[in-house]
Amino acid sequence: MKFKYLVITLFLIAQSCSVSSKIGVRNTGAQTQKVQEKIQAYLLSKHVNGSIAVVKKNKVIFNEGIGLANRATGRVNRPSTTFPIGSVTKVIVAACILQLQEKGKLSTEDSISTFIPNFPNGSRIKLIHLLNHTSGIEENLFLHGKSKDMLKGISVKFPAGKKWDYNDINYFVLGLVVEKASGESLHNYIQKNILDKASMHHSGFITKNRPVPFNSKGYIKTGDYALPVNILNWSKLFGCGDIYSTALDLCLFDEALLSGKLLSKRSLQEMLTPGSPSKYGEGVYIYGNQVFSRGVVGGWETLHVFFKDHTIMAILLNVRDKNINIHQLSSDIKNIIH
């Protein structure tokens, strides 16, 4: 009942809030400026490196970079700095699947074999099982990528729907389903139906031809040192981690999601309904008064979260530090705002 209450509350918020075509410019009133200064001081005290944006009811409360985007060159993080968002990509792919369902191109109750014949256990695995990570398939296909041999790398660990097992392969396969159902590449579909509609003009895709389209460098903190991370094989992140963005662009995505620009109320309700004991819906976790997804890839860590009071927040870090809890950052920033 608690989850249903959260979903209904979010719908009422989205319906009652006036939604403009763009999020408004930052309020520079004395009270807001004081809040901004407190957030800045807090981030400095935590030695955060990254970009953070906070939006409440279509007003930008905070949108700043902090620390260095590249330690070798001394380039600082700015609001315009771009970061790989890792698994936050999954909620974007989930939104694509739900859009295609609204268009009658598929149903989340369809089996995988409808779109990928001869998929192991494909007649028993539904798209909903991929969306909420209960498919039971194992992550072995990345040796083959999107080739005709990819099915050779797939095995099944348990019957679909029996338990929750978070696994990138689920969204890798959903990316293929988007291509089959829409008749175009996943990136083209996302560009037209998500990024453009949400005015995410500073977001894009990490591809073989553009392996480093973002302008931040990733690091992992080890003791007193931040060690640079080599570029990963981005082809393995198809559908599950191959998007880059800015903090404000991720807030724009959440705003578009809640306001009805991307999904109907019915589809949003489906996305925000937990499908397993994990409290995971479709591309997002639903915990108490907040909905979020988190991404970790290389030296980058990302969190986007929206609360039922319509506060939206994105935290993009380019230094992974075990002493920094990104969820605690979001909670503390929320407390500062209030």
Side-chain angles (χ1 to χ4, degrees):
M1 291 300 292
K2 180 169 65 174
F3 297 130
K4 289 182 179 178
Y5 173 77
L6 170 63
V7 171
I8 293 169
T9 302
L10 286 167
F11 289 161
L12 292 174
I13 291 167
Q15 191 172 26
S16 62
C17 289
S18 59
V19 179
S20 59
S21 59
K22 282 183 182 177
I23 286 180
V25 296
R26 188 171 67 187
N27 185 342
T28 55
Q31 186 64 33
T32 302
Q33 186 173 352
K34 186 176 181 180
V35 168
Q36 292 163 3
E37 290 170 354
K38 284 185 176 181
I39 295 173
Q40 190 85 8
Y42 167 76
L43 294 172
L44 286 169
S45 73
K46 295 295 182 181
H47 308 291
V48 168
N49 274 262
S51 293
I52 294 88
V54 184
V55 174
K56 187 167 185 180
K57 296 180 180 177
N58 303 320
K59 297 296 181 183
V60 179
I61 304 298
F62 189 85
N63 184 29
E64 301 292 344
I66 190 165
L68 296 175
N70 188 311
R71 296 185 170 220
T73 65
R75 187 172 71 248
V76 300
N77 279 314
R78 303 182 184 278
S80 59
T81 301
T82 49
F83 302 74
I85 63 172
S87 287
V88 176
T89 298
K90 292 183 175 72
V91 68
I92 293 174
V93 172
C96 294
I97 291 289
L98 291 169
Q99 284 181 347
L100 289 167
Q101 179 171 252
E102 291 177 9
K103 296 172 182 177
K105 301 285 187 179
L106 56 76
S107 166
T108 56
E109 292 296 315
D110 287 341
S111 66
I112 296 180
S113 58
T114 303
F115 304 94
I116 307 175
N118 303 318
F119 194 96
N121 205 35
S123 62
R124 294 183 175 89
I125 301 172
K126 299 178 180 180
L127 301 187
I128 186 64
H129 295 136
L130 298 171
L131 287 162
N132 60 31
H133 295 290
T134 60
S135 69
I137 58 177
E138 202 160 15
E139 184 179 4
N140 299 322
L141 70 79
F142 290 157
L143 291 175
H144 305 288
K146 290 173 60 183
S147 74
K148 62 183 180 181
D149 297 322
M150 74 168 213
L151 297 184
K152 296 178 181 178
I154 296 175
S155 59
V156 178
K157 293 191 287 185
F158 56 84
K162 291 299 183 181
K163 62 180 180 179
W164 186 74
D165 180 34
Y166 185 93
N167 201 322
D168 285 347
I169 190 176
N170 291 301
Y171 278 77
F172 187 102
V173 175
L174 283 170
L176 299 177
V177 171
V178 170
E179 294 189 333
K180 291 280 189 177
S182 68
E184 56 187 309
S185 74
L186 176 65
H187 290 173
N188 285 346
Y189 184 89
I190 291 174
Q191 183 67 56
K192 292 189 298 185
N193 295 279
I194 303 290
L195 304 188
D196 290 348
K197 286 187 176 181
S199 299
M200 297 170 68
H201 302 311
H202 306 287
S203 303
F205 307 98
I206 302 160
T207 65
K208 181 179 179 181
N209 293 332
R210 293 190 70 208
V212 191
F214 45 88
N215 55 21
S216 62
K217 178 71 177 175
Y219 301 85
I220 294 180
K221 189 77 176 290
T222 304
D224 295 330
Y225 300 96
L227 303 178
V229 176
N230 292 329
I231 299 303
L232 303 177
N233 183 354
W234 296 107
S235 64
K236 296 181 179 181
L237 301 178
F238 171 82
C240 58
D242 57 354
I243 292 178
Y244 68 88
S245 190
T246 64
L248 187 58
D249 266 18
L250 284 189
C251 288
L252 286 167
F253 171 76
D254 283 340
E255 183 67 35
L257 200 63
L258 290 174
S259 67
K261 287 182 183 177
L262 300 180
L263 295 177
S264 68
K265 290 181 181 180
R266 182 175 180 178
S267 292
L268 182 60
Q269 182 176 9
E270 180 174 343
M271 175 181 278
L272 300 181
T273 300
S276 70
S278 68
K279 301 182 181 179
Y280 192 91
E282 298 177 9
V284 290
Y285 293 90
I286 302 97
Y287 274 82
N289 71 338
Q290 60 181 291
V291 174
F292 68 86
S293 67
R294 172 174 168 259
V296 176
V297 59
W300 296 268
E301 184 174 6
T302 304
L303 179 75
H304 81 112
V305 55
F306 54 86
F307 299 85
K308 65 181 180 182
D309 68 349
H310 211 75
T311 299
I312 298 169
M313 190 182 308
I315 301 173
L316 280 61
L317 307 179
N318 65 308
V319 177
R320 282 176 57 196
D321 185 344
K322 65 181 181 181
N323 295 316
I324 294 178
N325 183 324
I326 198 167
H327 293 285
Q328 190 63 51
L329 290 182
S330 69
S331 178
D332 291 345
I333 292 170
K334 181 75 159 51
N335 289 335
I336 291 171
I337 292 169
H338 286 279

